[in-house]
Amino acid sequence: MDFTFTEEQQAAVEAAKAVFSSVTPDSVPSPALTAGAVAEDFDRALWRKLAESDLLGLSLDPQYGGSGLDALALCLVLRECGRVLARVPLLESSAAALAVQRYGGAELRAAVLPRTAEGELVLTTASSGRTGHGPAELAVQARRSGDGWVLDGAQTAVPWAHGAEQVLIPAHTGEGRTILALVPRDHDGVALEEQISTSGERLAEMRLDGVRLADREVLEADGAWEWLRDLLTTGTCALALGLGSAVLDLTSSYVSEREQFGFPLASFQAVAVQTADRYIDLRAMEATLWQAAWRLSLAEERPTASGALPIAGDVAVAKIWAAEGVRRVVQTAQHLHGGFGAVTDYPLHRYHAWGKQLELSLGSAAAHEEALGELLAAHPLG
């Protein structure tokens, strides 16, 4: 078995590192010192750089201006995005575009995907439901009306909704089916109410009141929402891995330079043991992430082996490790930094806020443990 990444995947990482090299976590006001959102919009200048480096269409087919790479490549780039707390909707826009490519009609793909790859059209996704708990697809109802659809309901905590042009929203039909609707932000019947995330970013509660869409704007294929949710969750794990890696690097540098009783903190056994434990957390986060991303990249090529868990099982394991791991990494970093970790002109408090946001996004560890238990009960391993 060869576990190394391909040349194309490694090239994507190098391109991402070059783009993100100029990004600093302190480029916007501190969430600890800002009553409202840290900024009105995402980082448009960085978005343009990502487009110029062909990273916005990384996983799209070449016919739409993309590079044709897989979920592994996207997660590699997202890891670098998480290292620097890049304020861009890279995960949400990429995942929505991939869902359109995989499940959308030819007309919708032609209208959306080339502009998304070029950075002209920004997409986002709604995945939190009405309250942030429970199935997101139950928060919005979709019903047939003539040759189109009508949507009613609300989705909370929609990321980057104020800056994105279109939002991909799951909705239930009342017949036990879930569809995905691509809704323009300024569509008739759509209202956005500002919300603020733990990391200080601007979210939105998105209300839909009699929103009418044409058939071409709706993805009706079975499994489309489940696939999108798995991709979003796996991408969140990649962001958490990048953030955790940056925090451990920051902590290692600090304890190597900070002295107590005339010796570096890193020379004390208790400090070394704690950082070693967090290193193990990161390696577990990494292994489970690549397993989930690999399964997603093979979803169209290889059926699930007899007795094996569905892809959702690998995604749940990855999110359990990502949620628990990033929390432990950041908490240990705060402990080892002492009071210096709370200083607002030092980046650790930002990583702490983003880490908590990622820990709970797309489901906490406890929620995924419950989901994994249900999968194991339904699919005994043979």
Side-chain angles (χ1 to χ4, degrees):
M1 279 223 163
D2 184 1
F3 292 103
T4 58
F5 296 110
T6 66
E7 291 184 7
E8 292 83 1
Q9 291 166 344
Q10 292 171 353
V13 173
E14 294 306 314
K17 287 181 177 179
V19 172
F20 293 132
S21 62
S22 61
V23 179
T24 61
D26 293 321
S27 59
V28 294
S30 167
L33 302 176
T34 309
V38 294
E40 290 296 307
D41 198 6
F42 62 85
D43 191 337
R44 293 281 178 174
L46 179 59
W47 194 250
R48 288 192 294 271
K49 291 181 181 179
L50 289 167
E52 292 166 0
S53 300
D54 297 326
L55 292 173
L56 297 184
L58 188 70
S59 300
L60 296 179
D61 289 342
Q63 63 178 309
Y64 303 118
S67 301
L69 300 185
D70 56 14
L72 281 164
L74 176 60
C75 286
L76 283 166
V77 173
L78 289 170
R79 181 188 63 182
E80 301 307 314
C81 184
R83 285 184 191 273
V84 297
L85 308 184
R87 299 183 55 261
V88 287
L90 182 59
L91 168 59
E92 294 81 6
S93 192
S94 298
L98 280 170
V100 170
Q101 176 175 274
R102 182 165 177 159
Y103 298 105
E107 184 179 355
L108 184 65
R109 294 197 302 268
V112 169
L113 300 184
R115 295 176 62 208
T116 303
E118 294 171 1
E120 295 179 1
L121 178 65
V122 181
L123 308 178
T124 191
T125 58
S127 57
S128 296
R130 184 178 293 275
T131 64
H133 304 283
E137 65 272 19
L138 299 183
V140 175
Q141 182 177 15
R143 65 181 189 277
R144 276 284 187 183
S145 177
D147 58 353
W149 293 84
V150 177
L151 274 62
D152 292 282
Q155 289 275 350
T156 193
V158 180
W160 317 109
H162 294 277
E165 279 79 30
Q166 297 183 6
V167 184
L168 193 58
I169 299 175
H172 70 99
T173 65
E175 303 170 350
R177 295 177 56 234
T178 299
I179 64 168
L180 290 173
L182 194 59
V183 181
R185 179 192 63 199
D186 57 358
H187 198 287
D188 290 342
V190 173
L192 300 180
E193 182 173 335
E194 185 179 74
Q195 298 175 317
I196 308 299
S197 73
T198 301
S199 57
E201 296 299 332
R202 195 180 184 204
L203 308 179
E205 180 183 69
M206 188 172 185
R207 299 194 184 108
L208 300 96
D209 183 10
V211 173
R212 295 183 174 275
L213 297 176
D215 266 340
R216 64 177 180 276
E217 298 171 294
V218 174
L219 314 182
E220 298 185 50
D222 291 338
W225 162 237
E226 289 77 12
W227 181 89
L228 175 61
R229 183 180 58 202
D230 285 345
L231 181 58
L232 288 168
T233 305
T234 304
T236 301
C237 296
L239 292 170
L241 175 62
L243 184 151
S245 300
V247 168
L248 188 61
D249 290 344
L250 194 68
T251 305
S252 298
S253 176
Y254 177 80
V255 298
S256 297
E257 297 171 0
R258 179 76 170 180
E259 292 189 356
Q260 192 174 48
F261 308 116
F263 297 94
L265 288 175
S267 65
F268 296 116
Q269 186 178 35
V271 174
V273 167
Q274 290 182 72
T275 53
D277 285 343
R278 299 297 77 82
Y279 176 82
I280 293 171
D281 277 335
L282 287 173
R283 297 291 72 78
M285 290 167 64
E286 188 173 33
T288 54
L289 164 65
W290 300 137
Q291 170 70 10
W294 174 71
R295 288 288 303 277
L296 278 170
S297 69
L298 292 178
E300 288 186 322
E301 302 174 18
R302 189 178 303 173
T304 302
S306 176
L309 281 176
I311 294 174
D314 290 297
V315 174
V317 171
K319 188 56 167 70
I320 292 166
W321 272 106
E324 295 285 357
V326 76
R327 177 179 56 79
R328 288 193 291 259
V329 168
V330 174
Q331 286 182 346
T332 297
Q334 288 283 13
H335 174 65
L336 295 180
H337 276 82
F340 193 64
V343 175
T344 55
D345 58 0
Y346 186 69
L348 182 56
H349 77 289
R350 291 180 183 273
Y351 283 105
H352 198 160
W354 277 65
K356 180 57 67 174
Q357 183 73 30
L358 292 172
E359 176 191 345
L360 301 178
S361 295
L362 278 300
S364 65
H368 284 279
E369 286 168 354
E370 182 178 353
L372 181 60
E374 292 174 354
L375 276 175
L376 288 170
H379 299 273
L381 301 180

